[in-house]
Amino acid sequence: MEKKKVLFVSQEITPYLPETEISKISRELPQGIQERGKEIRTFMPRYGCVNERRNQLHEVIRLTGMNLIIYDIDHPLIIKVASIQSARMQIYFIDNEDYFQRKAVLKNTDGVFFDDNDERAIFFARGVLETVQKLRWSPDVIHCHGWFTSFVPLLVKRTFKDNPLFSNTKVVTSIYDNEFDTPLNSKLKKKLVGDSITETDVAQVTDPTYVNVEKLAIDFSDGIIMGSQQINAEVEAYAKSTGKPILGYQTPETYMDAYNAFYDTFE
């Protein structure tokens, strides 16, 4: 029997970024799932603060060279990769000079949220799926970690819905305690429309607050995981109201087997 394939898409992974709840799970979970017999791929953004030399990132020439159009502007997609030898695991990085060269993650040195975080998140989501397509790798499950991955479910279910590589893919979104206070760019909805995405599809983000961005991710996901012990109450209530499969918060001792079993519920 063919191995089940799980694609992990995360906004942060340690040791490339400081350890947080998301970055720690995003580092340990793929390894644990691989050790449980599944095939995995893992992606994160190549923020400018990720030290390429120390972490031995190198460009994957055969995957690089595509341009992604975000709000009518072409942006070159650069793919880099690094290995975590102890885990026998590779991490793919989505890079672009306009979006990911600055030496910060989501805020500038004054703690101000970047105005183009919406486009950066769209580019990242598109970049991941285009790269997986180039790899000719068909994931059974895509597991998204962090609000920065929130546009992946939408793209899978709309833009890539007729692509045979993704036609049977199920999307799982983990919701964390990682709210942002400043809404995303007010033109987010316009930037998302097109490529089989309608205004109705993205009505949720007419006001692009954290809560509404997470609701959009929930709308197009097949299953939800409560990744933090405490999450936004409105987001949690919305997830439960959808009737979709939900896995409650798991402790560090239980989450690996619980997540693995949750993936297996999707056929």
Side-chain angles (χ1 to χ4, degrees):
M1 188 169 132
E2 195 174 325
K3 285 184 178 181
K4 197 159 198 160
K5 299 181 178 72
V6 183
L7 171 63
F8 295 95
V9 187
S10 182
Q11 72 179 46
E12 55 195 73
I13 302 174
T14 189
Y16 308 105
L17 290 175
E19 189 171 300
T20 63
E21 185 173 42
I22 296 177
S23 71
K24 191 170 188 291
I25 287 176
S26 299
R27 159 62 184 88
E28 295 172 355
L29 180 62
Q31 178 181 352
I33 295 304
Q34 182 172 252
E35 289 169 354
R36 283 159 176 75
K38 291 180 171 59
E39 192 176 323
I40 59 121
R41 295 282 188 279
T42 306
F43 281 79
M44 72 171 280
R46 208 296 290 184
Y47 305 107
C49 53
V50 173
N51 189 306
E52 293 200 9
R53 182 174 296 177
R54 185 190 310 134
N55 294 298
Q56 299 184 319
L57 271 67
H58 62 270
E59 189 172 337
V60 186
I61 303 299
R62 69 186 177 91
L63 298 175
T64 293
M66 186 186 309
N67 276 16
L68 303 183
I69 299 172
I70 309 294
Y71 206 39
D72 297 328
I73 296 176
D74 275 11
H75 298 275
L77 172 62
I78 301 165
I79 310 299
K80 294 173 180 173
V81 71
S83 296
I84 299 177
Q85 300 292 351
S86 61
R88 295 186 300 130
M89 187 170 88
Q90 285 188 320
I91 310 292
Y92 289 91
F93 293 82
I94 299 298
D95 199 2
N96 170 266
E97 284 193 11
D98 297 324
Y99 293 136
F100 296 113
Q101 289 299 303
R102 63 200 76 163
K103 301 291 184 184
V105 178
L106 299 173
K107 297 178 179 179
N108 66 19
T109 52
D110 296 322
V112 178
F113 207 54
F114 291 123
D115 185 58
D116 65 349
N117 275 338
D118 62 326
E119 292 187 15
R120 298 170 83 215
I122 295 168
F123 182 88
F124 175 59
R126 282 285 305 272
V128 169
L129 297 175
E130 294 288 0
T131 303
V132 170
Q133 184 175 253
K134 273 199 167 185
L135 290 167
R136 305 190 69 78
W137 194 74
S138 181
D140 297 294
V141 175
I142 298 176
H143 189 172
C144 300
H145 298 266
W147 74 261
F148 199 78
T149 68
S150 291
F151 306 128
V152 172
L154 170 69
L155 291 171
V156 171
K157 301 299 184 180
R158 289 293 182 264
T159 303
F160 289 83
K161 72 181 189 319
D162 295 324
N163 187 310
L165 288 177
F166 299 100
S167 57
N168 296 313
T169 299
K170 303 300 182 185
V171 184
V172 172
T173 290
S174 276
I175 308 293
Y176 292 94
D177 180 19
N178 72 322
E179 292 188 47
F180 54 83
D181 299 323
T182 306
L184 297 183
N185 190 285
S186 60
K187 294 179 180 176
L188 171 61
K189 202 166 77 163
K190 288 183 179 178
K191 296 173 186 180
L192 287 169
V193 169
D195 291 327
S196 301
I197 297 171
T198 67
E199 286 203 17
T200 303
D201 291 330
V202 294
Q204 197 75 261
V205 290
T206 301
D207 180 14
T209 62
Y210 165 81
V211 167
N212 290 338
V213 168
E214 290 286 35
K215 284 181 178 180
L216 180 70
I218 290 166
D219 284 345
F220 290 93
S221 295
D222 299 285
I224 313 298
I225 293 176
M226 302 305 172
S228 297
Q229 200 160 10
Q230 298 289 328
I231 66 167
N232 181 284
E234 187 177 346
V235 173
E236 182 174 8
Y238 185 78
K240 290 177 177 175
S241 75
T242 64
K244 295 180 179 184
I246 292 179
L247 180 65
Y249 173 74
Q250 302 292 312
T251 67
E253 294 74 34
T254 64
Y255 82 83
M256 198 74 72
D257 288 327
Y259 287 16
N260 190 47
F262 194 62
Y263 302 150
D264 289 339
T265 64
F266 299 101
E267 294 298 337

